[in-house]
Amino acid sequence: MDLKRVIRNIPDFPKPGILFYDISTLLADAPAWKETVRRLANRVRAYQPDLLVGIESRGFLSAAPLAVELGLGFAMIRKRGKLPGTTIGHDYALEYGEDRVEIQADAVKHGQRVVLLDDLLATGGTAAAGITLLRSVGAEVVSAAFIIELAFLRGRERLDVAVDSIITYDE
């Protein structure tokens, strides 16, 4: 199944000059979404993770059903102030400014093998921040997996873990 055919491309979103790869159409197509989860499961299973962690918010969409498919737990990395209880955060640089990601302090047990998931790998900044955060709470990050990779932005080069993506755009 050619999953690229069910992803809608939206030019000039969220700002002029950006081509947005909208997975809403993929999520709405049950056979394509099922195939996406199957392909991700085949990739992620090989790393024998103990836990899957999704990055807010579209990373939740792939990590949660994948956790069910693989019989694993699921934890969330969210933006500042979105999680209840005690959290641990990591500040990281954006192109213009700074951002922060957080995880609940008890979401990961020390030494757990973790795969980080998000919908899209572009420049790799958010994924790299997520990996740093997970390591700070004692996780062994064994892989990062994505539905889409924009290979021309070379985000994979910023990540020091195995990287898997099931749809790649080279330009």
Side-chain angles (χ1 to χ4, degrees), residues 64-80:
L66 189 57
V68 171
E69 177 73 18
L70 297 175
L72 300 171
F74 161 64
M76 298 174 285
I77 290 178
R78 299 204 63 188
K79 295 177 182 175
R80 177 190 320 262

Side-chain angles (χ1 to χ4, degrees), residues 50-67:
D50 301 311
L51 181 71
L52 301 182
V53 176
I55 298 176
E56 184 172 339
S57 67
R58 290 184 303 266
F60 301 167
L61 298 173
S62 55
L66 189 57

